[in-house]
Amino acid sequence: MPVKIRLQRHGKKGKPFYWIVAADSRSKRDGKYLEKLGAYNPNTNPATVELDVDGAVKWLQNGAQPTDTARTLLSYRGALLKNHLAGGVKKGALTEEQAEAKFTAWLEEKEAKIQAKVEGLSEAEAKAKADALAAEKAVNEARIAAAAPVVEEAEDASEEVEALEEAAEESAAAAESEAGEKEEE
């Protein structure tokens, strides 16, 4: 039975995520599989890859052929390196301890690279937020500066209106007093 390590699509339209599975090459893409080895989510940045490295190495040693994308993901998580080191141990080129030391050193280096990318992305996001806030503050200050003369004009106009209202009240009071004087005569 020809076995392939491949991706099985899940998720909704436009938001896919994949299971990494060992399946018979004759089965349907999303059909029956022999073993689920991990998951791959390309929607996150950086992409999330969870993989059972030992299970993948077991299938590779038994002759399973990974597809191109699955090979990339296996390489990203170190399954191909571990398989290569296991071959070296079988041939006697390495001891088990040396192979394990090389693999752990590679894993630490890879995790450092991934962490650096995550930090770089978070710094870029924080910088973008700060720039957006600064731009928003500049727009608000410009809006306030443009509205300040209008406010001053409105205050001047309201003072003029108040003066006119006071004058109108005084003239009305004067007119009433004149009318009252005429009645007395």
Side-chain angles (χ1 to χ4, degrees):
M1 170 171 59
V3 176
K4 289 230 178 238
I5 296 176
R6 63 183 184 195
L7 301 181
Q8 191 177 65
R9 190 181 196 280
H10 293 272
K12 65 181 186 175
K13 184 168 45 170
K15 295 284 188 183
F17 69 91
Y18 301 91
W19 286 355
I20 303 168
V21 297
D24 184 355
S25 64
R26 297 167 291 192
S27 65
K28 296 179 182 178
R29 177 193 74 178
D30 299 336
K32 187 176 173 184
Y33 59 90
L34 301 171
E35 182 180 353
K36 179 180 173 184
L37 301 173
Y40 166 57
N41 186 357
N43 299 317
T44 60
N45 192 5
T48 306
V49 180
E50 300 167 6
L51 183 67
D52 174 18
V53 176
D54 294 328
V57 169
K58 180 190 77 166
W59 280 106
L60 289 170
Q61 288 175 347
N62 288 333
Q65 295 297 312
T67 61
D68 292 339
T69 308
R71 179 179 302 280
T72 304
L73 295 174
L74 293 175
S75 175
Y76 181 78
R77 278 296 170 198
L80 294 179
L81 176 64
K82 193 164 187 175
N83 184 36
H84 177 74
L85 293 173
V89 170
K90 280 184 185 177
K91 291 179 180 177
L94 297 169
T95 64
E96 189 71 36
E97 293 80 23
Q98 290 173 331
E100 193 62 35
K102 283 186 177 185
F103 184 69
T104 55
W106 182 88
L107 275 180
E108 290 171 0
E109 182 182 328
K110 186 68 171 182
E111 286 300 321
K113 286 181 183 178
I114 292 171
Q115 192 61 31
K117 181 173 183 179
V118 168
E119 289 172 2
L121 289 171
S122 64
E123 288 174 8
E125 185 178 330
K127 185 178 183 297
K129 275 187 175 181
D131 291 345
L133 183 61
E136 187 175 332
K137 282 183 179 180
V139 168
N140 284 340
E141 289 172 1
R143 188 179 304 135
I144 290 170
V150 173
V151 170
E152 290 174 4
E153 291 174 9
E155 289 175 357
D156 292 341
S158 66
E159 289 173 4
E160 290 176 14
V161 168
E162 289 175 5
L164 289 175
E165 287 176 354
E166 289 175 9
E169 289 175 5
E170 290 174 5
S171 63
E176 286 179 12
S177 63
E178 285 179 19
E181 288 176 8
K182 285 185 182 179
E183 286 180 12
E184 291 178 5
E185 294 180 0

